[in-house]
Amino acid sequence: QHNLHLLTPQQIELAKILLETGQTHLFEHWAEPGVEDDEKKAFFDQVARLDSSYPGGLASYIKTARELLSDSKAGKNPFDGFTPSVPKGEVLTYGDNNFINFEDMGVKEARKAAFVLVAGGLGERLGYNGIKVALPAETTAGTLFLQNYIESILALQDASCRLAQDDCQTKIPLVIMTSDDTHARTIELLESNSYFGMEPTQVKLLKQEKVACLDDNDARLAVDLRNKYRIQVSVITLTLKPHDDCQTKIPLVIMTSDDTHARTIELLESNSYFGMEPTQVKLLKQEKVACLDDNDARLAVDLRNRYRIQTKPHGHGDVHALLFSSGILKVWHDAGLRWVLFFQDTNGLLFKAIPAALGVSATRQYHVNSLAVPRKAKEAIGGITKLTHADGRTMVINVEYNQLDPLLRATGNPNGDVNCETGYSPFPGNINQLIFELGPYIDELTKTGGAIKEFVNPKYKDASKTSFKSSTRLECMMQDYPKTLPPSARVGFTVMDAWLAYAPVKNNPEDAAKVPKGNPYHSATSGEMAIYRANSLILRKVGVQVADPVVQVFNGQEVEVWPRITWKPKWGLTFAEIKRKVCGSSTISQRSTMVIKGRNVFLEDLSVDGALLIDAVDDAEVKVRGSVQNKGWTLENIDYKDASVPEELRIRGFKINKIEQLEKNYCESGNFTLEP
Ligand code: UGB
């Protein structure tokens, strides 16, 4: 009350919302007027952000939280009244006629597609210090996840344009959803790699906000008191020596701080560096220094955060509200686009499955198409399930891995989620690659504003369920979008071979080594090996004799090691394209490495036993034949605890020793033959 005269009308409105929703405790420890006023202002800035970034505002968040917390306390089953059964979907087999037809259709449709990468998660399970999209998907060619995604989209764009009759200028848009945890580093990654060949205007970043944490069953917002464990810091100044080795482009260093860093990048970014070349500009972030409380230089504890509400991520479901509120969906619709494809941060195989899956969407006219793979029972990925309610309603939806087993047990399946005679759970695994038809998607979001059904997962102190071990928050998942759709919506799914479509990097080496035998590790080790296996199996399908793998153990995980074969997406994204590049009878031995970077490289009666690396400009046509024989590249075990090795290698448990290779680069157009 005594601070009221200091507030603006907007702040008074926000204060009213907080008081009316039972949040008076937030003001209990406020200093008297005139003291710490900047912190009080920052508090209202935070409340304004929390209010505007949530569909329906903070009042709606708190109301939903109370309902969900009460359901959780009562032990209410979110699937009450629903019986699960195995749904029917499109099951594809790589390389058969059906698959090839769907791929053709998918490539045609790709020019009407937009891609959305959800990359706001830090990946706590992996325990990697950087952003996950900056990790190498594999270390033979060293391609990063984001690079692989962008190069795949560009390859699809080119392939789709080549099929079009008109003068196709399509630039497939890419949205990346980031969060405070990943935003600045994602921009830096794109920026320092020239957007991996994409035009900067094709890429748009949308940052998701965190949501308020809840302290109890009454949805009292949690005050952020974590900072009593922090020393207060303040800015010092630094002097920088000028750069003197550059004659032509004057370098500009901008010293930033935590307060200015992200916003400085955004400013440069959204103004094309005001005409400077991005490489001329370098940002150096200064760190703050400890504050002193008295003449004895006692360090000051940072208590300012009693003016902050604790926040946590809301989940990947935010992507729908963000896309809607940004207005970009309408822009895409007006530009004639028809499909939106959502995907996650670390699946190095994904784009091998995209063309066929898009073809299924177009052919079956699915409003929603989820990509799925056969799933081992209890594997930590959601199961696609048909839910039939006692009142007759049905929906095909992802049921998260921790809910599927109890749901089955509660509905007459005493063994829960178990493998059937195929060796897999009958419920296909959701890999969270979703394809939506844009028109119906916009219609639905116009009704919902992009709000997705949420859930809450409090960790209670004891069975009375009256208090939490730590604050909780509402969460939402992007695959829950169909939950609000009418029964007339066409919701389908497409099952692909797991070896072709799914190899995420989610688990740290210790956890991966504990995964039950036979279940996928979902680690950096298995993610990389899966790429070599998929490429080897694809080459086998088009007629190359690829040797069998050997089994090796890295970071305590037993994996199949196939020949280390990689290629750029532009060399071959579809079965038909790859088949066109391979003829005669070729062989590749298990110890071999093959890296193809050029678009028009053709393998003819080639035998590889060693390492072969070929790069070529797009208008160079290179035939490779004969026999490649050298010492090649080997894999050397490393221990994930060995801190002398960079983290991105340590988490794989091996590094590559490049002993001997045949390497050729064709930099000019023309026809060439490489015959070692
Ligand atoms: N993500 C965000 O962008 N923002 C967030 O707030 C959180 C995450 P996880 P999860 O395919 O293997 C999902 O943590 O949520 C991004 C499906 O729910 O890797 O445990 C994040 O950056 C599950 O059904 O996965 O499980 C990442 O790109 C199953 O399909 C993505 O969201 C599983 O993925 C996923 O985040 C799977």
Side-chain angles (χ1 to χ4, degrees), residues 191-192 194 249-252 273 276-282:
E191 202 36 53
S192 56
S194 310
K249 305 280 175 203
I250 298 178
L252 168 65
Y273 286 72
M276 204 170 230
E277 288 186 11
T279 48
Q280 278 177 268
V281 187
K282 187 162 175 59

Side-chain angles (χ1 to χ4, degrees), residues 484-502:
T484 55
L485 290 178
S488 57
R490 286 189 297 276
V491 181
F493 66 95
T494 306
V495 183
M496 301 264 187
D497 303 300
W499 65 261
L500 179 76
Y502 188 58

